[in-house]
Amino acid sequence: MRVVIAEDSVLLREGLTRLLTDRGHDVVAGVGDGDALVKTIIGLDGQGELPDVVVADVRMPPTHTDEGVRAAVRLRKAYPGLGVLVLSQYVEERYATELLAGSSRGVGYLLKDRVADVREFVDAVVRVAEGGTALDPEVVAQLLGRSRKQDVLAGLTPREREVLGLMAEGRTNSAIARQLVVSDGAVEKHVSNIFLKLGLSPSDGDHRRVLAVLTYINT
């Protein structure tokens, strides 16, 4: 397979190149920033030599924030058949979600620690190049965790969400009732339903309100 590597650390870039070339793959280019990556892919495509897969660091110059993943997302939109595998030091949910938006075909997100397992890393690159998916277990765990939180709040009615939002602002039931122009009893019913839907039992006592607000904020 033909690979382009985007990594600002020369040492790591050369290491990845060696790992892949030693196993018979062709690293056609190595660059150190997101702009260079995009320009390289456009140039190769113009020559009719689009690579099979790009391996890119999430954070690259000049700001070392999201240049790599932004370039990866741009390339996925422009070249749907191009495999894209991004490497990150830590699990960054926003970047993972952005990369996985739309089709998950030919996409991967791995922590850099996985590179230490050479066979696992090379297998992941090949899988992505062939249109498969390679997601780090830590990425999957965090995305699923966030999904579960969203699913919990999805069970609330619009009014219950509104009440929970006011609870998060620190308002009492009476204050919420005045804000929504409803009775105290109506607010108490909404609050009870919120506790029930969030799985907060009476045994949690007064902490239920705090736990409900934390769930709202974390989501």
PDB file of all heavy atoms in Angstrom, residues 152-183:
ATOM      1  N   VAL A 152     -29.533   9.036  28.330  1.00  0.00           N
ATOM      2  CA  VAL A 152     -30.266   9.255  29.576  1.00  0.00           C
ATOM      3  C   VAL A 152     -31.083  10.535  29.478  1.00  0.00           C
ATOM      4  O   VAL A 152     -32.269  10.571  29.789  1.00  0.00           O
ATOM      5  CB  VAL A 152     -29.295   9.329  30.783  1.00  0.00           C
ATOM      6  CG1 VAL A 152     -30.027   9.837  32.018  1.00  0.00           C
ATOM      7  CG2 VAL A 152     -28.724   7.955  31.071  1.00  0.00           C
ATOM      8  N   LEU A 153     -30.464  11.614  29.046  1.00  0.00           N
ATOM      9  CA  LEU A 153     -31.177  12.886  28.948  1.00  0.00           C
ATOM     10  C   LEU A 153     -32.202  12.873  27.816  1.00  0.00           C
ATOM     11  O   LEU A 153     -33.163  13.630  27.841  1.00  0.00           O
ATOM     12  CB  LEU A 153     -30.191  14.033  28.726  1.00  0.00           C
ATOM     13  CG  LEU A 153     -29.290  14.396  29.907  1.00  0.00           C
ATOM     14  CD1 LEU A 153     -28.584  15.718  29.627  1.00  0.00           C
ATOM     15  CD2 LEU A 153     -30.052  14.482  31.208  1.00  0.00           C
ATOM     16  N   ALA A 154     -31.992  11.994  26.827  1.00  0.00           N
ATOM     17  CA  ALA A 154     -32.937  11.915  25.714  1.00  0.00           C
ATOM     18  C   ALA A 154     -34.317  11.478  26.192  1.00  0.00           C
ATOM     19  O   ALA A 154     -35.318  11.740  25.538  1.00  0.00           O
ATOM     20  CB  ALA A 154     -32.417  10.957  24.650  1.00  0.00           C
ATOM     21  N   GLY A 155     -34.372  10.821  27.366  1.00  0.00           N
ATOM     22  CA  GLY A 155     -35.647  10.363  27.902  1.00  0.00           C
ATOM     23  C   GLY A 155     -36.453  11.453  28.580  1.00  0.00           C
ATOM     24  O   GLY A 155     -37.617  11.240  28.936  1.00  0.00           O
ATOM     25  N   LEU A 156     -35.839  12.623  28.774  1.00  0.00           N
ATOM     26  CA  LEU A 156     -36.547  13.723  29.438  1.00  0.00           C
ATOM     27  C   LEU A 156     -37.406  14.491  28.435  1.00  0.00           C
ATOM     28  O   LEU A 156     -37.045  14.649  27.278  1.00  0.00           O
ATOM     29  CB  LEU A 156     -35.547  14.694  30.081  1.00  0.00           C
ATOM     30  CG  LEU A 156     -34.581  14.126  31.126  1.00  0.00           C
ATOM     31  CD1 LEU A 156     -33.697  15.245  31.673  1.00  0.00           C
ATOM     32  CD2 LEU A 156     -35.326  13.438  32.256  1.00  0.00           C
ATOM     33  N   THR A 157     -38.547  14.971  28.913  1.00  0.00           N
ATOM     34  CA  THR A 157     -39.389  15.813  28.074  1.00  0.00           C
ATOM     35  C   THR A 157     -38.753  17.200  27.979  1.00  0.00           C
ATOM     36  O   THR A 157     -37.885  17.555  28.792  1.00  0.00           O
ATOM     37  CB  THR A 157     -40.794  15.959  28.676  1.00  0.00           C
ATOM     38  OG1 THR A 157     -40.686  16.675  29.921  1.00  0.00           O
ATOM     39  CG2 THR A 157     -41.427  14.597  28.926  1.00  0.00           C
ATOM     40  N   PRO A 158     -39.163  18.008  26.994  1.00  0.00           N
ATOM     41  CA  PRO A 158     -38.622  19.373  26.889  1.00  0.00           C
ATOM     42  C   PRO A 158     -38.791  20.165  28.182  1.00  0.00           C
ATOM     43  O   PRO A 158     -37.891  20.904  28.588  1.00  0.00           O
ATOM     44  CB  PRO A 158     -39.425  19.976  25.741  1.00  0.00           C
ATOM     45  CG  PRO A 158     -39.756  18.796  24.875  1.00  0.00           C
ATOM     46  CD  PRO A 158     -40.026  17.683  25.843  1.00  0.00           C
ATOM     47  N   ARG A 159     -39.948  20.011  28.845  1.00  0.00           N
ATOM     48  CA  ARG A 159     -40.177  20.741  30.103  1.00  0.00           C
ATOM     49  C   ARG A 159     -39.251  20.242  31.200  1.00  0.00           C
ATOM     50  O   ARG A 159     -38.705  21.037  31.982  1.00  0.00           O
ATOM     51  CB  ARG A 159     -41.642  20.590  30.539  1.00  0.00           C
ATOM     52  CG  ARG A 159     -41.950  21.238  31.883  1.00  0.00           C
ATOM     53  CD  ARG A 159     -41.732  22.749  31.830  1.00  0.00           C
ATOM     54  NE  ARG A 159     -42.925  23.443  31.402  1.00  0.00           N
ATOM     55  CZ  ARG A 159     -43.018  24.766  31.272  1.00  0.00           C
ATOM     56  NH1 ARG A 159     -41.952  25.515  31.511  1.00  0.00           N
ATOM     57  NH2 ARG A 159     -44.122  25.336  30.869  1.00  0.00           N
ATOM     58  N   GLU A 160     -39.034  18.919  31.245  1.00  0.00           N
ATOM     59  CA  GLU A 160     -38.137  18.363  32.266  1.00  0.00           C
ATOM     60  C   GLU A 160     -36.699  18.825  32.028  1.00  0.00           C
ATOM     61  O   GLU A 160     -35.969  19.114  32.984  1.00  0.00           O
ATOM     62  CB  GLU A 160     -38.230  16.841  32.264  1.00  0.00           C
ATOM     63  CG  GLU A 160     -39.535  16.316  32.840  1.00  0.00           C
ATOM     64  CD  GLU A 160     -39.817  14.863  32.492  1.00  0.00           C
ATOM     65  OE1 GLU A 160     -39.039  14.268  31.711  1.00  0.00           O
ATOM     66  OE2 GLU A 160     -40.822  14.327  33.006  1.00  0.00           O
ATOM     67  N   ARG A 161     -36.301  18.938  30.783  1.00  0.00           N
ATOM     68  CA  ARG A 161     -34.966  19.462  30.471  1.00  0.00           C
ATOM     69  C   ARG A 161     -34.856  20.916  30.942  1.00  0.00           C
ATOM     70  O   ARG A 161     -33.820  21.356  31.444  1.00  0.00           O
ATOM     71  CB  ARG A 161     -34.691  19.389  28.973  1.00  0.00           C
ATOM     72  CG  ARG A 161     -34.312  18.012  28.466  1.00  0.00           C
ATOM     73  CD  ARG A 161     -34.195  18.031  26.946  1.00  0.00           C
ATOM     74  NE  ARG A 161     -33.670  16.776  26.436  1.00  0.00           N
ATOM     75  CZ  ARG A 161     -32.384  16.539  26.218  1.00  0.00           C
ATOM     76  NH1 ARG A 161     -31.495  17.475  26.476  1.00  0.00           N
ATOM     77  NH2 ARG A 161     -31.974  15.372  25.754  1.00  0.00           N
ATOM     78  N   GLU A 162     -35.920  21.658  30.726  1.00  0.00           N
ATOM     79  CA  GLU A 162     -35.935  23.060  31.131  1.00  0.00           C
ATOM     80  C   GLU A 162     -35.810  23.177  32.646  1.00  0.00           C
ATOM     81  O   GLU A 162     -35.042  24.002  33.161  1.00  0.00           O
ATOM     82  CB  GLU A 162     -37.238  23.711  30.650  1.00  0.00           C
ATOM     83  CG  GLU A 162     -37.243  25.225  30.743  1.00  0.00           C
ATOM     84  CD  GLU A 162     -38.482  25.844  30.098  1.00  0.00           C
ATOM     85  OE1 GLU A 162     -39.422  25.084  29.763  1.00  0.00           O
ATOM     86  OE2 GLU A 162     -38.507  27.073  29.943  1.00  0.00           O
ATOM     87  N   VAL A 163     -36.552  22.341  33.355  1.00  0.00           N
ATOM     88  CA  VAL A 163     -36.478  22.339  34.824  1.00  0.00           C
ATOM     89  C   VAL A 163     -35.078  21.950  35.282  1.00  0.00           C
ATOM     90  O   VAL A 163     -34.504  22.576  36.188  1.00  0.00           O
ATOM     91  CB  VAL A 163     -37.527  21.367  35.414  1.00  0.00           C
ATOM     92  CG1 VAL A 163     -37.282  21.165  36.917  1.00  0.00           C
ATOM     93  CG2 VAL A 163     -38.943  21.894  35.179  1.00  0.00           C
ATOM     94  N   LEU A 164     -34.509  20.923  34.663  1.00  0.00           N
ATOM     95  CA  LEU A 164     -33.165  20.474  35.042  1.00  0.00           C
ATOM     96  C   LEU A 164     -32.140  21.574  34.770  1.00  0.00           C
ATOM     97  O   LEU A 164     -31.199  21.776  35.548  1.00  0.00           O
ATOM     98  CB  LEU A 164     -32.801  19.204  34.269  1.00  0.00           C
ATOM     99  CG  LEU A 164     -31.440  18.562  34.602  1.00  0.00           C
ATOM    100  CD1 LEU A 164     -31.298  18.308  36.096  1.00  0.00           C
ATOM    101  CD2 LEU A 164     -31.261  17.266  33.819  1.00  0.00           C
ATOM    102  N   GLY A 165     -32.320  22.297  33.676  1.00  0.00           N
ATOM    103  CA  GLY A 165     -31.414  23.402  33.373  1.00  0.00           C
ATOM    104  C   GLY A 165     -31.474  24.486  34.434  1.00  0.00           C
ATOM    105  O   GLY A 165     -30.441  25.040  34.834  1.00  0.00           O
ATOM    106  N   LEU A 166     -32.676  24.779  34.923  1.00  0.00           N
ATOM    107  CA  LEU A 166     -32.827  25.777  35.981  1.00  0.00           C
ATOM    108  C   LEU A 166     -32.267  25.262  37.307  1.00  0.00           C
ATOM    109  O   LEU A 166     -31.707  26.028  38.093  1.00  0.00           O
ATOM    110  CB  LEU A 166     -34.306  26.156  36.131  1.00  0.00           C
ATOM    111  CG  LEU A 166     -34.895  26.917  34.942  1.00  0.00           C
ATOM    112  CD1 LEU A 166     -36.404  27.060  35.072  1.00  0.00           C
ATOM    113  CD2 LEU A 166     -34.245  28.296  34.821  1.00  0.00           C
ATOM    114  N   MET A 167     -32.410  23.956  37.533  1.00  0.00           N
ATOM    115  CA  MET A 167     -31.794  23.349  38.717  1.00  0.00           C
ATOM    116  C   MET A 167     -30.287  23.533  38.676  1.00  0.00           C
ATOM    117  O   MET A 167     -29.636  23.823  39.686  1.00  0.00           O
ATOM    118  CB  MET A 167     -32.148  21.863  38.798  1.00  0.00           C
ATOM    119  CG  MET A 167     -33.588  21.568  39.190  1.00  0.00           C
ATOM    120  SD  MET A 167     -34.044  19.819  38.914  1.00  0.00           S
ATOM    121  CE  MET A 167     -32.861  18.957  39.965  1.00  0.00           C
ATOM    122  N   ALA A 168     -29.725  23.377  37.471  1.00  0.00           N
ATOM    123  CA  ALA A 168     -28.281  23.514  37.304  1.00  0.00           C
ATOM    124  C   ALA A 168     -27.820  24.944  37.583  1.00  0.00           C
ATOM    125  O   ALA A 168     -26.656  25.173  37.910  1.00  0.00           O
ATOM    126  CB  ALA A 168     -27.875  23.097  35.895  1.00  0.00           C
ATOM    127  N   GLU A 169     -28.740  25.909  37.447  1.00  0.00           N
ATOM    128  CA  GLU A 169     -28.412  27.298  37.751  1.00  0.00           C
ATOM    129  C   GLU A 169     -28.495  27.573  39.250  1.00  0.00           C
ATOM    130  O   GLU A 169     -28.221  28.694  39.696  1.00  0.00           O
ATOM    131  CB  GLU A 169     -29.367  28.233  37.009  1.00  0.00           C
ATOM    132  CG  GLU A 169     -29.200  28.191  35.496  1.00  0.00           C
ATOM    133  CD  GLU A 169     -30.203  29.067  34.780  1.00  0.00           C
ATOM    134  OE1 GLU A 169     -30.903  29.851  35.468  1.00  0.00           O
ATOM    135  OE2 GLU A 169     -30.298  28.980  33.542  1.00  0.00           O
ATOM    136  N   GLY A 170     -28.891  26.554  40.019  1.00  0.00           N
ATOM    137  CA  GLY A 170     -28.948  26.694  41.472  1.00  0.00           C
ATOM    138  C   GLY A 170     -30.283  27.178  41.998  1.00  0.00           C
ATOM    139  O   GLY A 170     -30.395  27.564  43.161  1.00  0.00           O
ATOM    140  N   ARG A 171     -31.313  27.156  41.161  1.00  0.00           N
ATOM    141  CA  ARG A 171     -32.623  27.657  41.592  1.00  0.00           C
ATOM    142  C   ARG A 171     -33.383  26.614  42.405  1.00  0.00           C
ATOM    143  O   ARG A 171     -33.295  25.421  42.132  1.00  0.00           O
ATOM    144  CB  ARG A 171     -33.458  28.069  40.381  1.00  0.00           C
ATOM    145  CG  ARG A 171     -32.789  29.139  39.519  1.00  0.00           C
ATOM    146  CD  ARG A 171     -33.691  29.557  38.388  1.00  0.00           C
ATOM    147  NE  ARG A 171     -33.011  30.420  37.459  1.00  0.00           N
ATOM    148  CZ  ARG A 171     -33.491  31.591  37.029  1.00  0.00           C
ATOM    149  NH1 ARG A 171     -34.663  32.017  37.486  1.00  0.00           N
ATOM    150  NH2 ARG A 171     -32.824  32.321  36.165  1.00  0.00           N
ATOM    151  N   THR A 172     -34.142  27.086  43.375  1.00  0.00           N
ATOM    152  CA  THR A 172     -34.985  26.213  44.177  1.00  0.00           C
ATOM    153  C   THR A 172     -36.247  25.875  43.384  1.00  0.00           C
ATOM    154  O   THR A 172     -36.525  26.484  42.343  1.00  0.00           O
ATOM    155  CB  THR A 172     -35.395  26.901  45.484  1.00  0.00           C
ATOM    156  OG1 THR A 172     -36.203  28.061  45.162  1.00  0.00           O
ATOM    157  CG2 THR A 172     -34.168  27.348  46.285  1.00  0.00           C
ATOM    158  N   ASN A 173     -37.020  24.920  43.894  1.00  0.00           N
ATOM    159  CA  ASN A 173     -38.271  24.565  43.214  1.00  0.00           C
ATOM    160  C   ASN A 173     -39.203  25.770  43.112  1.00  0.00           C
ATOM    161  O   ASN A 173     -39.865  25.982  42.097  1.00  0.00           O
ATOM    162  CB  ASN A 173     -38.965  23.426  43.954  1.00  0.00           C
ATOM    163  CG  ASN A 173     -38.293  22.089  43.702  1.00  0.00           C
ATOM    164  OD1 ASN A 173     -37.278  22.015  43.003  1.00  0.00           O
ATOM    165  ND2 ASN A 173     -38.837  21.022  44.266  1.00  0.00           N
ATOM    166  N   SER A 174     -39.273  26.561  44.182  1.00  0.00           N
ATOM    167  CA  SER A 174     -40.154  27.737  44.172  1.00  0.00           C
ATOM    168  C   SER A 174     -39.703  28.745  43.123  1.00  0.00           C
ATOM    169  O   SER A 174     -40.524  29.338  42.408  1.00  0.00           O
ATOM    170  CB  SER A 174     -40.172  28.398  45.551  1.00  0.00           C
ATOM    171  OG  SER A 174     -40.732  27.529  46.512  1.00  0.00           O
ATOM    172  N   ALA A 175     -38.395  28.934  43.033  1.00  0.00           N
ATOM    173  CA  ALA A 175     -37.866  29.875  42.045  1.00  0.00           C
ATOM    174  C   ALA A 175     -38.129  29.371  40.631  1.00  0.00           C
ATOM    175  O   ALA A 175     -38.434  30.160  39.731  1.00  0.00           O
ATOM    176  CB  ALA A 175     -36.376  30.083  42.272  1.00  0.00           C
ATOM    177  N   ILE A 176     -38.021  28.063  40.444  1.00  0.00           N
ATOM    178  CA  ILE A 176     -38.298  27.474  39.131  1.00  0.00           C
ATOM    179  C   ILE A 176     -39.772  27.663  38.782  1.00  0.00           C
ATOM    180  O   ILE A 176     -40.117  27.991  37.639  1.00  0.00           O
ATOM    181  CB  ILE A 176     -37.927  25.982  39.117  1.00  0.00           C
ATOM    182  CG1 ILE A 176     -36.406  25.814  39.270  1.00  0.00           C
ATOM    183  CG2 ILE A 176     -38.401  25.312  37.822  1.00  0.00           C
ATOM    184  CD1 ILE A 176     -35.951  24.377  39.428  1.00  0.00           C
ATOM    185  N   ALA A 177     -40.635  27.480  39.771  1.00  0.00           N
ATOM    186  CA  ALA A 177     -42.072  27.641  39.543  1.00  0.00           C
ATOM    187  C   ALA A 177     -42.387  29.068  39.103  1.00  0.00           C
ATOM    188  O   ALA A 177     -43.175  29.290  38.176  1.00  0.00           O
ATOM    189  CB  ALA A 177     -42.846  27.290  40.812  1.00  0.00           C
ATOM    190  N   ARG A 178     -41.757  30.047  39.762  1.00  0.00           N
ATOM    191  CA  ARG A 178     -41.994  31.449  39.389  1.00  0.00           C
ATOM    192  C   ARG A 178     -41.473  31.727  37.978  1.00  0.00           C
ATOM    193  O   ARG A 178     -42.114  32.441  37.200  1.00  0.00           O
ATOM    194  CB  ARG A 178     -41.312  32.382  40.393  1.00  0.00           C
ATOM    195  CG  ARG A 178     -41.979  32.411  41.770  1.00  0.00           C
ATOM    196  CD  ARG A 178     -41.485  33.582  42.603  1.00  0.00           C
ATOM    197  NE  ARG A 178     -40.046  33.486  42.865  1.00  0.00           N
ATOM    198  CZ  ARG A 178     -39.528  32.836  43.905  1.00  0.00           C
ATOM    199  NH1 ARG A 178     -40.332  32.222  44.765  1.00  0.00           N
ATOM    200  NH2 ARG A 178     -38.228  32.817  44.092  1.00  0.00           N
ATOM    201  N   GLN A 179     -40.312  31.169  37.652  1.00  0.00           N
ATOM    202  CA  GLN A 179     -39.720  31.386  36.334  1.00  0.00           C
ATOM    203  C   GLN A 179     -40.604  30.817  35.226  1.00  0.00           C
ATOM    204  O   GLN A 179     -40.781  31.437  34.168  1.00  0.00           O
ATOM    205  CB  GLN A 179     -38.328  30.729  36.277  1.00  0.00           C
ATOM    206  CG  GLN A 179     -37.643  30.754  34.937  1.00  0.00           C
ATOM    207  CD  GLN A 179     -37.136  32.129  34.541  1.00  0.00           C
ATOM    208  OE1 GLN A 179     -36.955  32.996  35.404  1.00  0.00           O
ATOM    209  NE2 GLN A 179     -36.934  32.348  33.256  1.00  0.00           N
ATOM    210  N   LEU A 180     -41.161  29.629  35.473  1.00  0.00           N
ATOM    211  CA  LEU A 180     -41.959  28.948  34.450  1.00  0.00           C
ATOM    212  C   LEU A 180     -43.449  29.273  34.551  1.00  0.00           C
ATOM    213  O   LEU A 180     -44.241  28.802  33.725  1.00  0.00           O
ATOM    214  CB  LEU A 180     -41.756  27.432  34.561  1.00  0.00           C
ATOM    215  CG  LEU A 180     -40.323  26.927  34.378  1.00  0.00           C
ATOM    216  CD1 LEU A 180     -40.267  25.405  34.518  1.00  0.00           C
ATOM    217  CD2 LEU A 180     -39.758  27.353  33.023  1.00  0.00           C
ATOM    218  N   VAL A 181     -43.802  30.037  35.566  1.00  0.00           N
ATOM    219  CA  VAL A 181     -45.197  30.415  35.814  1.00  0.00           C
ATOM    220  C   VAL A 181     -46.074  29.168  35.941  1.00  0.00           C
ATOM    221  O   VAL A 181     -47.066  28.990  35.221  1.00  0.00           O
ATOM    222  CB  VAL A 181     -45.740  31.346  34.697  1.00  0.00           C
ATOM    223  CG1 VAL A 181     -47.058  31.998  35.146  1.00  0.00           C
ATOM    224  CG2 VAL A 181     -44.737  32.421  34.335  1.00  0.00           C
ATOM    225  N   VAL A 182     -45.666  28.280  36.827  1.00  0.00           N
ATOM    226  CA  VAL A 182     -46.437  27.073  37.135  1.00  0.00           C
ATOM    227  C   VAL A 182     -46.476  26.929  38.652  1.00  0.00           C
ATOM    228  O   VAL A 182     -45.804  27.668  39.384  1.00  0.00           O
ATOM    229  CB  VAL A 182     -45.801  25.807  36.506  1.00  0.00           C
ATOM    230  CG1 VAL A 182     -45.802  25.904  34.992  1.00  0.00           C
ATOM    231  CG2 VAL A 182     -44.379  25.608  37.019  1.00  0.00           C
ATOM    232  N   SER A 183     -47.234  25.964  39.133  1.00  0.00           N
ATOM    233  CA  SER A 183     -47.337  25.763  40.575  1.00  0.00           C
ATOM    234  C   SER A 183     -46.112  25.035  41.116  1.00  0.00           C
ATOM    235  O   SER A 183     -45.399  24.350  40.377  1.00  0.00           O
ATOM    236  CB  SER A 183     -48.592  24.957  40.901  1.00  0.00           C
ATOM    237  OG  SER A 183     -48.457  23.628  40.405  1.00  0.00           O
TER     238      SER A 183
END
